[in-house]
Amino acid sequence: MAEIIQPGQKNGQKSEKLLEVRNLCKYYPLRKGVFSRVSEQVKAVDGVSFDIRRRETLGLVGESGCGKTTVGRTILRLLEPTAGDVFFDGTPVFSLPGGQLRRIRKQMQIIFQDPYGSLNPRMTVGGIVMEGMIAHGLYSKADRVEKAQELLRRVGLDPEHFYRYPHEFSGGQRQRIGIARALSVEPQFIVCDEPVSALDVSIQAQIINLLADLKKELSLSYLFIAHDLSVVEHISDRVAVMYLGKIVEQAPGEELFGNPLHPYTQALLAAVPSAEPEENSREKKKRRTLPGDVPSPLHPPAGCPFHTRCPEVMDVCRTEMPPTIEKGAGHQVACHLYTEG
Ligand code: SF4
């Protein structure tokens, strides 16, 4: 009988792709009337596709409300998807029953944005870090304590912090506790959901460097979510840019920062402060500011969702959704400026 080759496997070998996201959609129904009929849908995520290879970091960037956090949480099935598929190491995550989902969740962890709200104030740091180990039945009691203290040391805390409570720590230290918690079950993949957005600028670089070191030491893969391109620049191997629930551009990091194609990516890059004198800075001609606000995902514009703010808008943009096209190795963009013909 012919062998069924799942996504994530090639000729029986493990594929380089650890995570495959295909046409992911997450809609929120709005109900009206006495019968609570669905009247409209908010399309928070609408047809998102990307891959993350083993030991790779994909930066996912866009303004607040673009759907990037929803993508991260839906991949982990913390939110149920409306449509689409996610394959983790070849396993279809969305069709897994409870027990198997729990097992795969051990491999897929999350670090939350808010280091204050994401830690239970009534638990000690040790209890927080050991919670996942207990849930997954890992190690003996004594080994769990030893392992948790070792993890605290690894993320730059003191093993003695094991006995303290979250309120005794600064924002940066709490985020280190959140990182230790995510690592406690030895995952392969971590969704880093704006892990430095709530931190002082001086602390942000320390946490990003820590995540980069851990990735290397532990062969991790990250989906690194941020609203600021400068945050993902140094940690991402590839970057995907989201606008109104869709990915509008995706490329290897150096390519995206050196040759941004989509007008939205160019505007995001223009917002990144540069240390260089203006005349030498990153392609001055591409520096633009964005007029207006992000439209409501409840009533997205027809055609290209970015057309209400785009400095390059053409007639076709107002009526036709641009297809995603390949512009060089791994560089994809959805914009009529690059559509041939
Ligand atoms: Fe701008 Fe048109 Fe490209 Fe959309 S498709 S980004 S409106 S040029």
Side-chain angles (χ1 to χ4, degrees), residues 3-51:
E3 188 189 356
I4 297 169
I5 296 177
Q6 298 275 13
Q9 293 184 329
K10 202 176 170 187
N11 302 328
Q13 304 272 309
K14 290 220 171 205
S15 156
E16 266 306 292
K17 291 174 188 172
L18 182 65
L19 188 84
E20 295 167 71
V21 178
R22 295 287 171 264
N23 200 26
L24 182 66
C25 298
K26 176 64 185 173
Y27 302 162
Y28 292 96
L30 293 185
R31 296 175 190 277
K32 265 190 191 161
V34 279
F35 297 111
S36 292
R37 289 215 171 92
V38 175
S39 58
E40 291 178 284
Q41 309 239 48
V42 178
K43 297 183 174 178
V45 176
D46 193 17
V48 162
S49 298
F50 58 81
D51 299 327

Side-chain angles (χ1 to χ4, degrees), residues 176-196:
R176 289 174 192 270
I177 297 167
I179 293 169
R181 172 174 61 185
L183 294 176
S184 68
V185 292
E186 300 182 354
Q188 292 185 66
F189 169 67
I190 300 179
V191 172
C192 304
D193 183 10
E194 303 228 32
V196 298

Side-chain angles (χ1 to χ4, degrees), residues 86-105:
V86 168
F87 298 93
F88 180 79
D89 214 359
T91 303
V93 175
F94 291 168
S95 55
L96 288 179
Q100 289 177 41
L101 179 62
R102 268 192 64 232
R103 277 197 288 282
I104 212 159
R105 279 223 179 107

Side-chain angles (χ1 to χ4, degrees), residues 312-338:
E312 309 268 1
V313 62
M314 303 172 285
D315 284 347
V316 65
C317 308
R318 296 190 174 91
T319 53
E320 285 181 33
M321 180 76 76
T324 299
I325 55 169
E326 193 86 28
K327 293 293 288 180
H331 196 158
Q332 297 166 352
V333 62
C335 172
H336 286 302
L337 289 173
Y338 308 97

Side-chain angles (χ1 to χ4, degrees), residues 137-159:
L138 300 175
Y139 318 114
S140 67
K141 194 174 174 190
D143 287 348
R144 281 200 289 267
V145 172
E146 198 179 311
K147 173 96 179 160
Q149 291 183 325
E150 170 54 32
L151 276 170
L152 291 177
R153 194 181 297 115
R154 191 160 209 165
V155 298
L157 295 170
D158 189 319

Side-chain angles (χ1 to χ4, degrees), residues 259-292:
N259 182 31
L261 297 179
H262 197 283
Y264 181 57
T265 311
Q266 292 168 5
L268 286 181
L269 272 172
V272 175
S274 171
E276 300 167 36
E278 185 63 23
E279 53 273 29
N280 298 326
S281 66
R282 221 182 240 136
E283 299 199 56
K284 185 184 167 191
K285 64 182 165 61
K286 289 183 175 167
R287 292 191 161 265
R288 300 159 179 163
T289 49
L290 267 183

